[in-house]
Amino acid sequence: MEKQIVERDLADWKAAEADAALIAAVEAGKVLYFPSLHFTIWPQEAALLRPELLAKGKRNISLDADGTLKGADASLAEQAELAGMIGRFRDGALALVHGLLPAYQPHLRIAPTSFRPAEVQGRAQSWRADDRRLHVDAFPSRPNRGERILRVFANINPMGQPRTWRVGEPFEDVARRYLPRAKPYSAWQAQCLKRLGITKSFRSEYDHLMLQLHDGMKGDADYQKNARQVTMPFAAGSAWVCFSDQTPHAVMSGQFMMEQTLHLPVEAQYNPSSSPLAILTRLAGHPLVP
Ligand code: SIN
Ligand code: FE
């Protein structure tokens, strides 16, 4: 399998420059890995790196675009520190993406920024919610009609522990494997899901197929074990970027990470024909979004 992780030497979040090879790589679903791109935690923030700050039942502490902090069980002073730290990561992540992928800039929709202080290993959850299984990101309640999910991650583990992922085969290979087994789409059922408030908007055939790929991969023990994949320990003090709706990924271990999600219309890509929407439409042979 062609290399699914492309490494670059970069030490400054604001110094990234557009490079045709990196642009093509990320749009082909590869992970861009920056081993020396370090997100600095200030000395007074070191005390924030503890999972006890998570509110009960939460996996992340997040900062909305409007500055609202969610998911923290912390004093007012700690909440202000958390907002500062997470906001600084957002600025860095945006500078990185603007530098690497300048054509995206006017089209990006910025999702909340998250801080993930919990240890991944040993987390109990249902198979469908288990991100330790290879998957592409697709969310049952949030249809996106093909809009892209671009994510920036930074491992901020203070003990030097890597965040270890498995990264799988190219998207088209996943699609060719699971499309023939996908349950048929029902627009009638999608209407019901919307009316009942189970989905926030109408689930298109694209969204249905993406969920079928997500569930198909996660529910397939043989695929999890035997699919082409690489294990990738992202070092403490590193950062990486990928389209998580396209790159099969699984997180195996690690603790303390920052994450920024950015949404992008397919048409704003350098090469829209490399998108999951284009690939699935080609394979299905008919339009997948109304
Ligand atoms: C995921 O997006 O599946 C999880 C990534 C991580 O927590 O490292
Ligand atoms: Fe994921």
Side-chain angles (χ1 to χ4, degrees), residues 21-286:
L22 279 196
I23 293 170
V26 76
E27 290 200 349
K30 295 173 197 276
V31 179
L32 308 185
Y33 179 38
F34 304 99
S36 11
L37 190 55
H38 183 64
F39 178 68
T40 307
I41 304 295
W42 291 347
Q44 67 271 28
E45 293 167 341
L48 301 175
L49 301 195
R50 48 182 230 273
E52 296 75 28
L53 289 181
L54 277 172
K56 212 169 167 338
K58 298 287 180 205
R59 273 158 70 163
N60 307 325
I61 295 173
S62 67
L63 186 70
D64 285 359
D66 69 0
T68 313
L69 189 77
K70 292 188 180 144
D73 183 5
S75 68
L76 282 178
E78 283 169 330
Q79 289 186 42
E81 294 274 14
L82 281 165
M85 177 177 79
I86 301 171
R88 207 168 66 248
F89 175 72
R90 172 187 302 163
D91 294 344
L94 285 173
L96 176 67
V97 169
H98 294 163
L100 289 174
L101 301 151
Y104 291 1
Q105 184 163 355
H107 307 285
L108 292 169
R109 192 164 63 76
I110 303 167
T113 315
S114 74
F115 165 47
R116 304 185 181 189
E119 168 61 54
V120 168
Q121 226 166 9
R123 205 157 63 181
Q125 54 221 160
S126 72
W127 66 268
R128 205 178 250 126
D130 187 357
D131 289 338
R132 293 170 303 183
R133 299 175 188 225
L134 280 169
H135 65 282
V136 287
D137 284 348
F139 303 103
S141 66
R142 285 177 274 154
N144 67 21
R145 305 158 52 92
E147 189 183 44
R148 305 307 313 277
I149 306 173
L150 181 67
R151 289 194 151 149
V152 181
F153 303 91
N155 181 356
I156 57 167
N157 187 286
M159 282 90 74
Q161 283 163 3
R163 193 169 192 94
T164 300
W165 277 23
R166 292 184 291 138
V167 176
E169 62 188 357
F171 182 86
E172 182 151 348
D173 296 354
V174 178
R176 286 186 185 279
R177 189 185 303 266
Y178 288 105
L179 272 194
R181 316 179 203 173
K183 287 193 196 125
Y185 174 67
S186 157
W188 175 84
Q189 195 182 40
Q191 274 303 346
C192 292
L193 291 172
K194 185 178 160 215
R195 230 175 276 134
L196 293 169
I198 295 170
T199 55
K200 295 201 172 99
S201 59
F202 183 72
R203 183 183 287 174
S204 66
E205 186 168 1
Y206 169 80
D207 294 291
H208 167 77
L209 291 177
M210 288 296 288
L211 288 168
Q212 289 289 304
L213 299 190
H214 173 277
D215 291 2
M217 297 167 89
K218 279 191 176 175
D220 184 342
D222 180 62
Y223 183 79
Q224 291 297 323
K225 193 157 161 256
N226 298 317
R228 289 182 302 164
Q229 55 190 281
V230 288
T231 295
M232 180 65 208
F234 293 110
S238 74
W240 62 104
V241 177
C242 71
F243 277 110
S244 63
D245 52 354
Q246 182 175 10
T247 308
H249 60 284
V251 57
M252 307 317 291
S253 65
Q255 186 176 17
F256 303 115
M257 184 176 74
M258 306 298 289
E259 175 271 337
Q260 176 67 58
T261 299
L262 301 164
H263 297 289
L264 180 79
V266 168
E267 314 80 66
Q269 286 190 223
Y270 291 83
N271 176 15
S273 71
S274 68
S275 64
L277 177 61
I279 292 171
L280 290 176
T281 303
R282 220 176 335 105
L283 293 177
H286 59 263

